[in-house]
């Protein structure tokens, strides 16, 4: 289905009882806005991906670590993965119990590893050298290992994490060495995990990755779980008719592969997936304000407060986000034009929408950048000493609630 402009948020009643204009008036601009009903719906969809008792969905908190969103995910029955002690800290604050958290570590210090061990959180290690470190830190302990089955996928080379050209995971050729280290420190390998990369829209590569990791799992007799990672894509180009990932098809294929494998393995073990973006991307819109409009050498620039300190994805990965335009006096004119929507940062690459055909934008218009709930706020920064935005949640009654304050100027002095 192809959406006309502004139809995406109209169709899903994204702003509940309020409007983007009112939200900016009340909470300021730029502003991250989340919709709780959409967040809950995405959690439910993935929880019912397959029909298998020992299936768990670990929300990948790196996509959005707002405490209030984590509480919703936990309330929906999700578990969580963590990439750092900071993520563990926030997850525990949100009420996840240690057994619900998997720490997927990557090149961590002994202190960081100890942080998880002290809290009884399972650690997945990413190399032989980190397995050694784990063994020295926690001899006789239970551990998980991230393997790289040599299959990768992703929307940009920077987010392809599996395959033969990435830093992640242990090469399965090293399985004999892995076994030797496990034995040396009397470690019990209870799980193996992988993450082939981010944003697949067709299940083929994911299923291939799963088959490879399951083949690796057969080398270890006493596993309690396998974790297939995340990467579930969302349609960032809804305004251009992009279709959703077919969860029914993915679920059916996944279930087949898993059930078949469990028979070969001889017991039913827990299966985990780790979606981040799929859970949180579509529940978030980033609102900004058009402050200046100008023509430079034939190109129209719409100058906004949406610099890449606020949303980094377009600059970092050339990512596309659909854009909506809201105007106080109502409907925009029928006129369309090709524009660059740019931010307020002192770099020419500071472009949020490049050569985009949009309804005419005037100074004072509010710009909505869609699908900004994942890798949005969490990748924002104080570059140019700009303040990170506030975050607001539209609750199930349709009312807005501030769930993170905007930075203040004083925050820029913290630590001095
Ligand atoms: N599991 C592991 C071990 C991961 O490294 C990641 C993401 C995930 C799960 C969740 O992936 P997701 O389902 O969200 O694709 N900043 C980039 C994405 C980086 C993802 C890094 N790892 C972006 O904005 O597209």
């Amino acid at each position: 289905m192809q959406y006309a402009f502004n139809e995406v948020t109209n169709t899903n009643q994204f702003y509940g009882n309020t409007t983007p204009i009112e939200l900016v008036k009340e909470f300021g601009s730029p502003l991250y806005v989340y919709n709780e009903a959409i967040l809950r719906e995405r959690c439910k969809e993935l929880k019912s991906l397959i029909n298998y008792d020992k299936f768990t969905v670990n929300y990948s908190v790196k996509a959005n670590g707002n405490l209030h969103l984590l509480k919703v995910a936990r309330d929906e029955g999700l578990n969580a993965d963590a990439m750092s002690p900071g993520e563990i800290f926030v997850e525990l604050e949100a009420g996840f119990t240690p057994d619900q958290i998997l720490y997927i570590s990557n090149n961590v210090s002994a202190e960081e590893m100890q942080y998880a061990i002290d809290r009884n959180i399972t650690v997945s290690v990413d190399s032989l050298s980190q397995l050694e470190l784990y063994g020295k830190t926690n001899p006789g302990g239970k551990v998980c290992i991230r393997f790289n089955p040599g299959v990768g996928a992703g929307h940009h080379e920077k987010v392809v994490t599996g395959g033969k050209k990435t830093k992640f995971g242990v090469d399965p050729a090293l399985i004999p060495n892995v076994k030797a280290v496990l034995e040396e420190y009397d470690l019990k390998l209870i799980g193996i995990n992988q993450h082939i990369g981010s944003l697949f829209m067709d299940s083929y590569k994911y299923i291939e990755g799963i088959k490879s990791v399951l083949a690796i799992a057969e080398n270890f007799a006493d596993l309690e779980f396998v974790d297939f990672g995340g990467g579930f894509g969302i349609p960032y180009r809804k305004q251009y008719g992009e279709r959703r990932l077919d969860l029914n098809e993915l679920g059916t294929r996944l279930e087949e592969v898993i059930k078949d494998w469990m028979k070969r393995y001889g017991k039913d073990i827990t299966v985990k997936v780790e979606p981040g973006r799929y859970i949180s991307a579509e529940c978030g819109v980033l609102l900004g304000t058009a402050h200046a409009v100008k023509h430079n050498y034939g190109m129209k620039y719409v100058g906004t407060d949406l610099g890449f300190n606020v949303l980094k994805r377009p600059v970092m990965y050339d990512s596309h986000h659909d854009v909506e335009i809201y105007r106080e006096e109502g409907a925009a004119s029928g006129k369309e034009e090709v524009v660059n929507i740019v931010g307020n940062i002192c770099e020419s690459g500071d472009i949020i929408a490049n050569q985009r055909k949009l309804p005419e934008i005037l100074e004072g218009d509010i710009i909505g950048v869609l699908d900004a709930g994942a890798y949005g706020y969490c990748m924002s920064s104080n570059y140019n000493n700009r303040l990170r935005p506030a975050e607001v949640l539209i609750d199930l009654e349709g009312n807005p609630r501030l769930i993170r304050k905007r930075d203040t100027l004083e925050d820029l002095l913290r630590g001095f």
Side-chain angles (χ1 to χ4, degrees):
M1 169 169 165
Q2 184 154 354
Y3 287 96
F5 288 98
N6 295 6
E7 215 177 296
V8 176
T9 56
N10 277 338
T11 306
N12 61 19
Q13 298 179 321
F14 190 90
Y15 299 106
N17 305 327
T18 179
T19 67
I21 311 275
E22 282 169 13
L23 285 166
V24 165
K25 275 194 185 141
E26 186 174 351
F27 300 100
S29 175
L31 182 71
Y32 275 98
V33 184
Y34 305 107
N35 180 297
E36 182 176 343
I38 297 175
L39 175 61
R40 287 187 184 273
E41 192 182 310
R42 294 296 175 262
C43 292
K44 287 189 175 72
E45 274 177 11
L46 284 194
K47 283 249 332 172
S48 54
L49 180 65
I50 59 171
N51 184 12
Y52 178 64
D53 284 354
K54 295 184 170 182
F55 175 61
T56 67
V57 180
N58 283 11
Y59 174 49
S60 212
V61 171
K62 64 186 73 80
N64 191 318
N66 185 294
L67 192 63
H68 297 268
L69 268 58
L70 297 195
K71 285 182 179 169
V72 172
R74 189 182 64 85
D75 187 53
E76 286 294 332
L78 268 53
N79 291 350
D81 80 40
M83 286 303 286
S84 66
E87 288 192 355
I88 293 175
F89 175 74
V90 175
E91 288 164 9
L92 292 171
E93 279 297 309
F96 289 99
T97 52
D99 60 304
Q100 292 174 323
I101 300 173
L102 176 62
Y103 180 26
I104 303 186
S105 70
N106 180 241
N107 307 330
V108 302
S109 68
E111 291 72 30
E112 288 176 301
M113 209 171 256
Q114 191 69 52
Y115 183 90
I117 293 167
D118 287 346
R119 286 158 186 78
N120 282 323
I121 288 167
T122 304
V123 179
S124 160
V125 297
D126 197 24
S127 60
L128 273 181
S129 84
Q130 295 255 288
L131 184 60
E132 287 257 6
L133 175 64
Y134 187 90
K136 286 179 190 147
T137 319
N138 193 26
K142 294 178 175 179
V143 69
C144 170
I145 297 179
R146 176 171 181 168
F147 279 97
N148 179 341
V151 180
H155 67 84
H156 188 279
E157 64 175 23
K158 290 194 173 102
V159 300
V160 177
T161 45
K164 294 183 175 140
K165 289 189 177 149
T166 89
K167 68 168 179 167
F168 290 105
V170 174
D171 179 345
L174 296 173
I175 288 176
N177 312 53
V178 164
K179 288 187 170 172
V181 179
L182 292 173
E183 203 175 304
E184 187 181 349
Y185 295 98
D186 191 26
L187 298 174
K188 180 165 187 250
L189 185 71
I190 57 165
I192 66 173
N193 68 297
Q194 69 162 3
H195 171 68
I196 62 169
S198 280
L199 214 166
F200 63 84
M201 292 305 286
D202 134 24
S203 49
Y204 176 77
K205 274 262 173 101
Y206 196 65
I207 298 287
E208 286 310 293
I210 283 168
K211 286 183 181 161
S212 316
V213 85
L214 288 174
I216 295 170
E218 283 171 32
N219 290 279
F220 304 99
D222 272 327
L223 295 178
E224 292 170 14
F225 69 86
V226 276
D227 178 345
F228 299 140
F232 301 76
I234 63 115
Y236 278 104
R237 294 169 189 265
K238 294 181 188 62
Q239 289 174 334
Y240 302 84
E242 187 178 5
R243 304 242 294 263
R244 303 193 67 75
L245 174 64
D246 187 342
L247 283 185
N248 280 337
E249 191 215 358
L250 174 61
T252 309
R253 296 181 70 187
L254 190 58
E255 203 174 306
E256 249 171 51
V257 173
I258 290 169
K259 290 193 170 159
D260 195 46
W261 184 82
M262 296 294 167
K263 275 191 216 131
R264 282 211 306 283
Y265 193 63
K267 62 174 176 171
D268 288 354
I269 63 174
T270 297
V271 167
K272 303 179 195 239
V273 292
E274 274 163 20
R277 179 190 326 267
Y278 193 88
I279 302 290
S280 64
E282 291 169 292
C283 79
V285 171
L286 170 62
L287 297 179
T289 305
H291 288 306
V293 173
K294 74 172 171 191
H295 288 85
N296 252 8
Y297 299 99
M299 188 67 205
K300 179 170 172 181
Y301 290 87
V302 176
T304 71
D305 52 7
L306 298 172
F308 70 84
N309 64 304
V310 177
L311 182 67
K312 205 169 178 184
R313 303 191 69 256
V315 170
M316 190 149 174
Y317 317 111
D318 284 329
S319 301
H320 172 99
H321 285 261
D322 283 342
V323 164
E324 293 188 351
I325 297 146
Y326 314 109
R327 185 166 302 160
E328 177 120 46
E329 308 80 50
S333 69
K335 194 170 143 197
E336 285 198 332
E337 46 189 17
V338 175
V339 296
N340 280 350
I341 302 184
V342 296
N344 47 12
I345 295 293
C346 63
E347 295 197 27
S348 50
D350 184 28
I351 302 175
I352 203 137
N354 200 5
Q355 310 226 354
R356 191 78 62 85
K357 193 171 185 192
L358 290 169
E360 184 186 28
I361 302 177
L362 307 178
E363 285 166 20
D365 282 352
I366 301 300
I367 312 287
V369 182
L370 305 191
D371 304 316
Y375 308 108
Y377 184 92
C378 58
M379 289 174 71
S380 69
S381 76
N382 291 122
Y383 186 41
N384 279 196
N385 265 7
R386 292 227 158 254
L387 307 180
R388 282 172 308 165
E391 296 181 292
V392 163
L393 182 70
I394 309 288
D395 67 18
L396 295 177
E397 278 76 51
N399 299 320
R401 180 160 61 97
L402 185 67
I403 54 167
R404 178 157 15 206
K405 291 182 188 150
R406 183 177 306 281
D407 282 351
T408 62
L409 288 174
E410 287 67 36
D411 289 330
L412 299 175
L413 297 177
R414 195 154 42 130
F416 289 113

